[in-house]
Amino acid sequence: MSSLGKLIRNENMKIYRRPRTWLMIAFLVLAIGLMSGLMKWDAGSDDHADWQQRLSQQNAQLQQELQDNEKLDADEKTDIGNRIKLNAYYLDHDIDPNELSLWNYVNTSASLTILVTILTVIIAADMIAAEFSWGTIKLLLVGPASRSKIMLSKYIATMGFALLLLLLSFAAAFGAGGILEGFGGLSRPELTIAANGAIRESSMIADALQKYGFAVISLLMYVTMAFMISAAFRSSSMAIAFSLLFMLIGNSLSALLSGYGWVKYLLFSNIDLTQYLAGASPLRPDMTLSFSILMLAAYYVVFQFVAWLLFTKRDVAA
Amino acid sequence: MSDPVLQLRNLTKTVGRRNIVDDLTFDIPAGEVFGFLGPNGAGKTTTIRMIVGLISMSRGEALIKGVSVRHHFELAMTHVGAIVENPEMYKFLTGYQNLVHFARRHEGVTKTRIDEVVALLGLQNRIHEKVKRYSLGMRQRLGVAQAILHRPSLLILDEPTNGLDPAGIRELRDYLRKLTKEEGISVIVSSHLLSEMELMCDRVAIIQAGKLVDIRSLQETRDSAQSKIVIETGDLPAAQRLLASAFDPSLLTISGIGQLELAADKSAVPHIARLLVSAEIDVLGIHAVQKSLEEQFLEITGGEMVV
């Protein structure tokens, strides 16, 4: 009987022995390099020498507006007050808020996890359908491994690939940031104003990891969906096409239809949990964080179950 | 006879309302090359795919070395090596990597064993090349290699010669013979080509419309083959009249222009010759022929055999 570990090694061999996979990895690293270069180039066009003077000027202007403009409501007043407080804090602690540190690069790379998601979706959609396209499914299934075990090994290998890409994009951004700005800015804090008006220092790495964390949730959902689609199709190009299509039009579809009540039950309406962070507003006012988490969990279970049903119960006749 | 290597018990596959495979029950003895023979669409492939778990069974059971395929699939499959039609391999991997892939599924297939199988099939020169550069014959050999890595007791081949040229078919046949002899493997092979089965198999099950028609040993079939006598004559009606009175008329048929066939033994030839000559009927030729296997199977399946 086959051990799961060996089956996973087989699936890994089939992923990493294909030149396509290495093109994807090179593409990702290149994209992060390019992004970092652009950030550096863009920041270089500003002059940072007189940042203290500019912050003081800005604060004076904000102060003026607070006094002169009588149409401001309470929210706007606290907002302006907070900005003044933050600027004063920067000046007191000699921190240039516009100076790039390597964390800025890591933070921006978190928005590139969409790329990681797309690449992993392609791999996932290919995972089962390709065996049918190649005709290798027959030899794969006729062996001392149950279909459930084969499917699990494929899913784990796919997730391993996603993890590799995530680590790689984090490391590439960290490296690029370190090379371009030096590793000195590692300990620089992220400053935010808490609800009670106090200034809070939090670590930049926590902020970056939070961004990555939200991205991983949508990655997990899209990849699992693609895996299910892969189990449904016998042609890998069809499976890839449909997975990417759903992923790319899903969000705009949800936004477009957000007027209807039932939209909140769509996967795409719940997949972005950052809509519940402070300062953002959810797609529909009646949606809550726990509702979205529940919906995502339900979709995840359904995707896995349908994929399992399709893969284990189907007759391989062709 | 030793314990059967494969037992089928009321094996049935229903699609819609039709039974593609209908209530097959028989045992396949160990140590033989056993053929599934039948016209296209008779249910051979479906039967084989049910045995190896590619297609679910609607009813019944298949036991490999006494282990139920339905209930203990993983255990049952440890005894089986299979080639289903043309073995498709991972083309972007080398031959060797493909073998490593299939070896990992089994316990205890060592590197030495892989090398041994590679040598047995004569693949050592090109085993580290990508499979996409292999010819169909080489892929077939790699398919056989993959199937025997774990020393299975049963090798199942489904239409293994589809798409092979005559040289490739011959090559495969030689390997199969070598395997049964050297590794003591039982083989089940399905084909619609009688000529091929005749050369490969010890015993065949004839399947038609999903049902078992007969199981027979090819050797016995050959031995018991009926013979017939073909008579060519210048005066067919007279010869027919004469022979119908001398023999049982039901044994006599007209088989061509001026040609009669009589189902009888060689020993009847002199008697027939004397009869015809004394009645002054022109004799152009008399000879005895054995019925070919093909004709016999055509008889069994009612003329439906595709050869």
Side-chain angles (χ1 to χ4, degrees), chain A residues 1-2 6 10 13-14 17-18 131 134 136 138-140 142-144 146-147 149 315-318, chain B residues 13 49 53-56 73-74 77-78 82 85 88-90 92-93 97 101 104-107 146:
Chain A
M1 275 172 245
S2 314
K6 283 182 176 172
N10 273 349
M13 178 165 79
K14 286 183 269 185
R17 288 280 180 191
R18 294 181 74 184
E131 300 273 2
W134 293 330
T136 46
K138 289 174 273 180
L139 287 185
L140 183 72
V142 181
S146 67
R147 291 196 190 185
K149 215 186 243 178
D315 284 349
V316 180
Chain B
K13 178 69 183 179
R49 290 191 180 193
L54 285 175
I55 291 181
S56 63
F73 178 76
E74 297 195 340
M77 283 302 120
T78 57
E85 285 174 333
E88 296 292 344
M89 298 296 199
Y90 299 101
F92 53 92
L93 298 178
Q97 285 163 349
H101 176 272
R104 277 200 194 125
R105 305 191 302 175
H106 300 281
E107 275 166 50
Q146 162 276 132

Side-chain angles (χ1 to χ4, degrees), chain B residues 89 95-96 99 114-129 134-135 137-146 171 175:
Chain B
M89 298 296 199
Y96 193 81
L99 290 184
I114 297 179
D115 294 338
E116 190 184 308
V117 171
V118 168
L120 179 73
L121 291 167
L123 284 164
Q124 55 274 59
N125 290 331
R126 298 185 55 196
I127 195 68
H128 292 291
E129 272 180 43
Y134 281 21
S135 66
M138 286 188 68
R139 284 180 201 174
Q140 194 80 28
R141 267 192 269 169
L142 193 62
V144 175
Q146 162 276 132
E171 195 184 48
Y175 284 125

Side-chain angles (χ1 to χ4, degrees), chain B residues 63-306:
Chain B
L63 306 167
I64 296 169
K65 293 192 86 185
V67 181
S68 155
V69 172
R70 196 195 272 260
H71 300 291
H72 304 283
F73 178 76
E74 297 195 340
L75 185 61
M77 283 302 120
T78 57
H79 302 301
V80 177
I83 299 175
V84 184
E85 285 174 333
N86 302 326
E88 296 292 344
M89 298 296 199
Y90 299 101
K91 293 197 174 77
F92 53 92
L93 298 178
T94 67
Y96 193 81
Q97 285 163 349
N98 266 291
L99 290 184
V100 167
H101 176 272
F102 292 107
R104 277 200 194 125
R105 305 191 302 175
H106 300 281
E107 275 166 50
V109 179
T110 58
K111 218 185 148 302
T112 345
R113 172 63 183 166
I114 297 179
D115 294 338
E116 190 184 308
V117 171
V118 168
L120 179 73
L121 291 167
L123 284 164
Q124 55 274 59
N125 290 331
R126 298 185 55 196
I127 195 68
H128 292 291
E129 272 180 43
K130 291 230 161 81
V131 169
K132 61 176 155 223
R133 289 209 286 271
Y134 281 21
S135 66
L136 190 59
M138 286 188 68
R139 284 180 201 174
Q140 194 80 28
R141 267 192 269 169
L142 193 62
V144 175
Q146 162 276 132
I148 61 169
L149 276 175
H150 54 296
R151 302 177 196 276
S153 12
L154 175 63
L155 192 60
I156 297 179
L157 307 155
D158 177 25
E159 301 276 357
T161 53
N162 270 3
L164 282 185
D165 58 11
I169 294 178
R170 196 203 162 101
E171 195 184 48
L172 180 73
R173 205 163 56 221
D174 292 343
Y175 284 125
L176 285 184
R177 193 157 296 153
K178 202 164 152 187
L179 285 173
T180 42
K181 213 181 288 168
E182 289 176 16
E183 308 238 342
I185 296 177
S186 311
V187 179
I188 295 176
V189 55
S190 87
S191 179
H192 58 270
L193 295 175
L194 176 66
S195 52
E196 205 177 274
M197 300 293 264
E198 208 175 329
L199 292 165
M200 262 193 260
C201 301
D202 301 312
R203 204 184 292 266
V204 291
I206 301 158
I207 296 172
Q208 196 181 18
K211 287 197 161 86
L212 180 70
V213 178
D214 197 8
I215 296 182
R216 42 171 77 192
S217 145
L218 284 180
Q219 192 55 49
E220 285 167 23
T221 308
R222 264 183 227 111
D223 291 347
S224 69
Q226 284 181 312
S227 62
K228 62 189 178 190
I229 298 165
V230 179
I231 303 133
E232 285 179 76
T233 167
D235 186 355
L236 190 71
Q240 194 184 5
R241 243 178 287 122
L242 179 70
L243 293 174
S245 60
F247 295 90
D248 179 358
S250 67
L251 298 175
L252 197 67
T253 48
I254 298 173
S255 61
I257 299 168
Q259 214 175 51
L260 281 170
E261 264 183 27
L262 183 69
D265 212 18
K266 217 176 194 158
S267 56
V269 172
H271 180 50
I272 295 168
R274 264 195 298 276
L275 272 175
L276 292 171
V277 170
S278 60
E280 293 190 352
I281 296 168
D282 288 346
V283 177
L284 301 174
I286 301 178
H287 58 279
V289 282
Q290 281 223 314
K291 266 197 196 170
S292 70
L293 275 177
E294 191 184 315
E295 283 174 291
Q296 294 189 54
F297 284 114
L298 280 172
E299 240 166 56
I300 294 168
T301 61
E304 243 201 278
M305 185 66 68
V306 180

